[in-house]
């Protein structure tokens, strides 16, 4: 696992969104959605090193948005995953699962 110290060093060495993306993922897994949200937004605005990471960052943001009590934004992001031609079947299955969870929760 990447430590916060390593992420800080990475942030100092790179201008892209890789460091805030990694930090947002760690915070997501700790369910610290309020701290993760500005970092994933920053990461996506700066851009990530590969198209695959850009897609992953959208999925991470969708999970964070739901945790941050923003089900409408989360659902919009998951629908983007469904419409994206570069999404594989696994991503589409995941998106449909999350959209079902959002509907069941009343979001």
């Amino acid at each position: 696992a990447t430590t916060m110290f390593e992420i800080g060093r990475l942030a100092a060495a790179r201008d892209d969104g890789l460091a805030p993306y990694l930090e947002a993922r760690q915070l997501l897994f700790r369910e610290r959605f309020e701290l993760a949200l500005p970092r994933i937004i920053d990461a996506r605005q700066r851009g990530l090193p590969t198209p695959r990471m850009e897609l992953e960052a959208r999925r991470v943001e969708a999970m964070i948005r739901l945790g941050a009590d923003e089900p409408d934004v989360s659902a919009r992001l998951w629908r983007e995953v469904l419409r994206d031609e570069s999404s594989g079947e696994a991503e589409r299955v995941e998106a449909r699962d999350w959209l079902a969870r959002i509907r069941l929760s009343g979001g």
Side-chain angles (χ1 to χ4, degrees):
T2 307
T3 67
M4 291 301 205
F5 174 74
E6 291 167 326
I7 290 173
R9 290 180 49 197
L10 184 64
R14 298 179 69 115
D15 291 333
D16 66 10
L18 184 58
Y21 163 77
L22 293 172
E23 195 173 10
R25 280 183 56 95
Q26 286 188 357
L27 291 164
L28 166 64
F29 297 134
R30 292 184 182 132
E31 297 185 5
R32 299 297 308 270
F33 307 114
E34 73 288 349
L35 297 174
L37 186 55
R39 287 165 176 86
I40 196 64
I41 290 169
D42 182 39
R44 293 189 71 205
Q45 287 174 344
R46 289 185 191 198
L48 289 150
T50 68
R52 194 77 208 139
M53 288 188 79
E54 293 279 355
L55 296 172
E56 176 64 14
R58 179 174 53 199
R59 293 172 55 248
V60 168
E61 182 178 349
M63 289 181 244
I64 291 169
R65 293 282 185 172
L66 187 58
D69 200 28
E70 296 184 17
D72 293 344
V73 179
S74 180
R76 179 181 52 79
L77 291 166
W78 286 119
R79 285 191 295 274
E80 286 179 16
V81 171
L82 283 175
R83 287 190 303 269
D84 192 326
E85 291 180 13
S86 64
S87 292
E89 187 55 30
E91 287 94 0
R92 287 188 175 90
V93 167
E94 179 186 39
R96 286 190 290 269
D97 180 59
W98 280 98
L99 286 165
R101 290 183 204 189
I102 292 167
R103 278 191 301 277
L104 288 173
S105 70

